[in-house]
C-alpha cells in the first residue's frame, strides 16, 4: 500500500511539473513566433517610413531648387530690361531657368506610392508650375520686345526720333519736346506725359498739313515717321502696363508671378503636410496591428499551451485514475476495458 501511495504521489507531482514545463515551453514558442511577427511588421513599417521620408526629402529638394530658380529669374527680370547682352543674345540663354514643370514631372516619376489626396495636390502643383513657366516665358518675350537703347521698340522709337531731329524742315524744338515727354514718361510712368506726347504728335502733323513748305510726298514721309514713333511708344507703354515691371502698381505679369509663387510655396507645404500625416497614420496603423497581433498570439499561446499540457499529461492522468481505482478495490484487479499497465 505504501509503495502504491508513494507511486501515486510521485506521479501526481510529476504530472504537475510536466504540465508546468509544457506550458512554459508553449509560451516560449509562442513568444518566439510573436517576436518574429512583430519584427516582420516593424521591418515593413520601417521600409514604408523610409520611402515616405525620401519622398519628403525629394519634395524639399525640388522646392529648394525652385526657390533658387525663382531668385535667378527675379534677378534676370530686374536686370534684363537694361542689359545689352540680353538683347544681343536673346532669351534663349535663360530658358533653362523656366523648367519648373519638367522638374516636377521628373520628381513624380520617382514617387510612385501616393494616396489619392497626394495625387490631387501633385496635379494642382503641376498646373501652378506650368502656369508659372508660361508667365516667365511671356515676361521674357515682352521684355525683349520692349527693348532698351537701340534694341526693340525703344530702339525703333529712338531711331525715328533721331531721324526727325535731323530733318531741317521740321522745327527741332517740337521734336525735342517729343523726346522730353518720352523720357518723362519712361522715368516716371505718369499717364499725363503719354497724353502730352500723343497731343504733340497730333499738333506736329496738323502743322505739316497746313504748312505750304511741304510737298504731299514729303509731308507723308514725315507723318509716317511720326506715326511710327508714336506707335512704338504706345507699344512700350502697353508692355509696361502688361508686365508691371516698370510701374509702381499691384497689377501685371510680375505681380501675378509673385502671387503664383506664394501659392506654389503654400502648395508645397500642404503636400509635405499630407505625407507627414500619412506617416502618422502609418505609425498608428502599425501600433494597432501589433496590438491585435500580440493579443491574438497571446490567446493562441494560451490555447496551445493548454492543449499541449493536456496532451503531454493525458497518459499520466489515466495511470493515476487506474491506481486510484486499484487502491479503492483493495488492490484487487477489476475487469476494465482500459489497462494502461497491461494488467
Amino acid at each position: 500500500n505504501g509503495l502504491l501511495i508513494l507511486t501515486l504521489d510521485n506521479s501526481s507531482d510529476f504530472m504537475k511539473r510536466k504540465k508546468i514545463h509544457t506550458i512554459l515551453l508553449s509560451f516560449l514558442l509562442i513568444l518566439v513566433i510573436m517576436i518574429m511577427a512583430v519584427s516582420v511588421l516593424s521591418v515593413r513599417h520601417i521600409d514604408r517610413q523610409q520611402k515616405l521620408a525620401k519622398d519628403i526629402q525629394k519634395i524639399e529638394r525640388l522646392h529648394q531648387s525652385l526657390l533658387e530658380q525663382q531668385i535667378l529669374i527675379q534677378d534676370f527680370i530686374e536686370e534684363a530690361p537694361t542689359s545689352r547682352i540680353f538683347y544681343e543674345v536673346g532669351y534663349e540663354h535663360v530658358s533653362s531657368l523656366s523648367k519648373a514643370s519638367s522638374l516636377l514631372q521628373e520628381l513624380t516619376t520617382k514617387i510612385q506610392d501616393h494616396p489619392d489626396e497626394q495625387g490631387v495636390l501633385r496635379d494642382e502643383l503641376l498646373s501652378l508650375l506650368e502656369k508659372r513657366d508660361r508667365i516667365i516665358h511671356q515676361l521674357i518675350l515682352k521684355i525683349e520686345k520692349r527693348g532698351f537703347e537701340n534694341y526693340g521698340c525703344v530702339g525703333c522709337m529712338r531711331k525715328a526720333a533721331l531721324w526727325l531731329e535731323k530733318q531741317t524742315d521740321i522745327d527741332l524744338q517740337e521734336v525735342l519736346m517729343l523726346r522730353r515727354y518720352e523720357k518723362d514718361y519712361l522715368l516716371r510712368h505718369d499717364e499725363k506725359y503719354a497724353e502730352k506726347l500723343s497731343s504733340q504728335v497730333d499738333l506736329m502733323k496738323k502743322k505739316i498739313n497746313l504748312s505750304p513748305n511741304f510737298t504731299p510726298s514729303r509731308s507723308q514721309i514725315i507723318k509716317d515717321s511720326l506715326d511710327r514713333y508714336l506707335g512704338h511708344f504706345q507699344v512700350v507703354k502697353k508692355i509696361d502696363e502688361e508686365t508691371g515691371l516698370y510701374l509702381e502698381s499691384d497689377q501685371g505679369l510680375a505681380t501675378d508671378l509673385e502671387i503664383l509663387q506664394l501659392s506654389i510655396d503654400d502648395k508645397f507645404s500642404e503636400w509635405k503636410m499630407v505625407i507627414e500625416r500619412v506617416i502618422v497614420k502609418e505609425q498608428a496603423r502599425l501600433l494597432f496591428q501589433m496590438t491585435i497581433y500580440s493579443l491574438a498570439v497571446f490567446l493562441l499561446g494560451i490555447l496551445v499551451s493548454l492543449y499541449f499540457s493536456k496532451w503531454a499529461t493525458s497518459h499520466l492522468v489515466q495511470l493515476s485514475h487506474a491506481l486510484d481505482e486499484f487502491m479503492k478495490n483493495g488492490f484487487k484487479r477489476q475487469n476494465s476495458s482500459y489497462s494502461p499497465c497491461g494488467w
Side-chain angles (χ1 to χ4, degrees):
N1 290 343
L3 179 60
L4 289 173
I5 293 171
L6 181 60
T7 301
L8 183 61
D9 292 339
N10 290 337
S11 65
S12 178
D13 293 339
F14 178 76
M15 283 190 295
K16 291 178 181 179
R17 290 196 301 273
K18 186 71 174 178
K19 193 170 186 178
I20 293 172
H21 290 165
T22 304
I23 292 174
L24 290 176
L25 287 174
S26 300
F27 266 112
L28 181 61
L29 177 63
I30 296 302
L31 180 62
V32 171
I33 295 174
M34 184 170 65
I35 292 174
M36 292 176 63
V38 171
S39 299
V40 171
L41 284 174
S42 299
V43 170
R44 291 177 59 187
H45 172 72
I46 291 173
D47 183 60
R48 172 67 172 162
Q49 292 284 83
Q50 289 176 346
K51 288 181 179 179
L52 291 171
K54 288 180 180 178
D55 287 353
I56 291 180
Q57 291 176 359
K58 291 175 183 177
I59 293 172
E60 289 176 344
R61 285 198 298 270
L62 174 63
H63 193 194
Q64 184 62 33
S65 175
L66 292 178
L67 290 176
E68 294 172 357
Q69 187 185 97
Q70 179 66 18
I71 293 173
L72 293 175
I73 291 171
Q74 193 65 36
D75 292 342
F76 163 76
I77 289 174
E78 292 177 357
E79 297 173 2
T82 57
S83 171
R84 294 181 179 88
I85 296 176
F86 168 73
Y87 296 106
E88 291 173 358
V89 179
Y91 72 90
E92 291 298 329
H93 71 293
V94 293
S95 60
S96 59
L97 295 175
S98 178
K99 57 179 183 179
S101 57
S102 61
L103 286 174
L104 182 65
Q105 290 280 21
E106 181 182 355
L107 171 73
T108 52
T109 57
K110 299 177 182 178
I111 302 179
Q112 301 293 339
D113 188 13
H114 286 292
D116 292 338
E117 187 177 1
Q118 290 186 60
V120 172
L121 286 172
R122 188 174 62 244
D123 293 341
E124 292 176 353
L125 184 56
L126 180 59
S127 177
L128 289 174
L129 291 173
E130 289 175 344
K131 184 177 180 181
R132 169 185 178 268
D133 288 351
R134 288 195 298 270
I135 291 177
I136 293 170
H137 184 71
Q138 291 175 18
L139 274 172
I140 292 174
L141 289 178
K142 289 183 181 298
I143 290 172
E144 187 178 35
K145 183 177 180 180
R146 181 187 189 274
F148 169 69
E149 291 186 347
N150 296 325
Y151 305 100
C153 289
V154 172
C156 293
M157 185 170 59
R158 183 179 183 183
K159 290 177 183 178
L162 290 174
W163 184 87
L164 290 170
E165 289 176 7
K166 293 178 181 179
Q167 306 310 306
T168 57
D169 51 354
I170 301 176
D171 188 352
L172 181 60
Q173 294 300 321
E174 291 184 347
V175 177
L176 293 177
M177 188 63 69
L178 281 178
R179 301 304 306 275
R180 177 184 175 183
Y181 293 146
E182 170 199 330
K183 295 183 182 300
D184 285 340
Y185 176 80
L186 293 178
L187 288 173
R188 301 177 176 85
H189 289 93
D190 192 333
E191 186 66 27
K192 68 180 181 181
Y193 296 114
E195 294 174 356
K196 288 181 178 181
L197 187 144
S198 180
S199 298
Q200 181 67 19
V201 169
D202 292 338
L203 179 61
M204 291 178 66
K205 289 167 67 175
K206 287 180 180 179
K207 288 183 177 181
I208 292 172
N209 289 331
L210 297 174
S211 175
N213 300 326
F214 297 99
T215 64
S217 59
R218 177 62 177 168
S219 173
Q220 190 62 43
I221 290 173
I222 295 175
K223 287 191 291 184
D224 288 344
S225 181
L226 286 169
D227 288 337
R228 285 195 298 272
Y229 175 82
L230 180 60
H232 290 307
F233 175 81
Q234 290 173 343
V235 170
V236 171
K237 180 175 177 293
K238 183 179 179 182
I239 290 175
D240 290 351
E241 293 171 351
E242 290 175 346
T243 61
L245 294 174
Y246 313 93
L247 306 176
E248 295 181 359
S249 67
D250 55 354
Q251 297 179 348
L253 292 174
T255 302
D256 294 343
L257 185 61
E258 293 178 2
I259 296 173
L260 199 58
Q261 186 61 39
L262 293 175
S263 299
I264 290 172
D265 293 341
D266 292 340
K267 195 63 65 175
F268 265 109
S269 300
E270 187 178 354
W271 194 6
K272 288 188 288 186
M273 288 175 60
V274 168
I275 296 182
E276 289 169 355
R277 287 200 298 269
V278 171
I279 293 176
V280 173
K281 290 180 181 179
E282 288 286 328
Q283 292 173 341
R285 187 174 69 175
L286 175 68
L287 180 61
F288 177 76
Q289 289 178 344
M290 291 177 65
T291 303
I292 296 299
Y293 288 171
S294 299
L295 290 174
V297 171
F298 181 75
L299 294 175
L300 181 62
I302 294 176
L303 296 176
V304 172
S305 300
L306 293 175
Y307 172 79
F308 277 108
S309 64
K310 185 176 181 180
W311 174 81
T313 59
S314 59
H315 295 292
L316 295 175
V317 171
Q318 292 175 356
L319 177 60
S320 176
H321 290 166
L323 289 173
D324 287 339
E325 185 179 351
F326 185 64
M327 291 175 64
K328 290 177 182 178
N329 293 327
F331 303 100
K332 295 181 180 180
R333 179 183 176 187
Q334 301 289 329
N335 292 329
S336 175
S337 61
Y338 173 74
S339 179
C341 298
W343 294 347

